[in-house]
Amino acid sequence: MKIFTGFFMLFILIKDIPFALIYARLLIGFGIILLRLLEINHYATWAISLLSIGLITDIFDGVIARKLNISSEKLRRLDSSVDQVFLSR
């Protein structure tokens, strides 16, 4: 019974990966804005690096959701909303 519970908990964590990637992209977007407002040195390098990571998370959240068969209207709306925030910086 303990093994079954462990697999169930692992599945619950795995199915949250797309949501975690979407929220990570939101935080990255706010981070880019914050870096710009703080006028840090080498802003362009940081921004390009963070944008690249954000774009990778954008690709993989959809791929993982489809592979795990957990794609839903809620997930698609959240992804679309976060994309608007992330790309409008």
Side-chain angles (χ1 to χ4, degrees), residues 17-67:
I17 290 173
F19 287 102
L21 291 173
I22 291 170
Y23 286 119
R25 190 166 61 255
L26 182 63
L27 291 175
I28 289 170
F30 287 133
I32 292 170
I33 293 168
L34 182 64
L35 291 175
R36 183 64 181 161
L37 292 174
L38 294 175
E39 298 179 358
I40 66 158
N41 294 333
H42 309 291
Y43 167 75
T45 305
W46 281 103
I48 290 170
S49 300
L50 290 173
L51 279 171
S52 299
I53 294 168
L55 292 174
I56 290 170
T57 63
D58 191 25
I59 292 167
F60 281 111
D61 68 44
V63 171
I64 292 170
R66 284 188 292 279
K67 288 283 186 188

Side-chain angles (χ1 to χ4, degrees), residues 71-78:
S71 184
S72 67
E73 184 65 29
K74 177 183 173 184
L75 190 63
R76 287 189 291 273
R77 282 186 185 172
L78 180 64

